[in-house]
Amino acid sequence: MSSEPSHHEKPKRGLNNSPKDSPCVICGEEDYEWGHPGSQGGVYYVPISSRFGFGMGEPLRARKCLHCGNIQLFLK
């Protein structure tokens, strides 16, 4: 048995994979459309421990799986 991965195997998920290299967590497909959450003022991640108010955190981007429609949010 060969130790090389089969072309049918899906990429392994892990913390070292970038969102571009990771399959959809719902259906496993890899075809995405990138975008951002729609808001005129922007949508941001703000930790609960932060003293800053809304809009002072890190901006978010989103990807939509073109197979199942799952949407995931990521920090820019």
Side-chain angles (χ1 to χ4, degrees):
M1 188 173 208
S2 173
S3 64
E4 292 188 29
S6 163
H7 62 84
H8 295 290
E9 286 183 31
K10 293 182 179 169
K12 293 192 181 350
R13 297 178 193 155
L15 296 176
N16 295 331
N17 291 346
S18 77
K20 294 177 184 175
D21 298 332
S22 299
C24 175
V25 297
I26 302 298
C27 70
E29 293 293 323
E30 297 176 355
D31 293 324
Y32 291 100
E33 176 178 81
W34 286 90
H36 56 84
S39 176
Q40 289 182 354
V43 178
Y44 298 86
Y45 169 77
V46 180
I48 291 174
S49 62
S50 174
R51 293 181 186 218
F52 300 110
F54 181 76
M56 299 298 291
E58 298 174 75
L60 298 175
R61 64 181 175 156
R63 75 176 187 183
K64 174 185 162 188
C65 176
L66 296 177
H67 181 74
C68 72
N70 177 48
I71 295 177
Q72 292 182 293
L73 298 176
F74 299 90
L75 293 175
K76 265 191 174 175

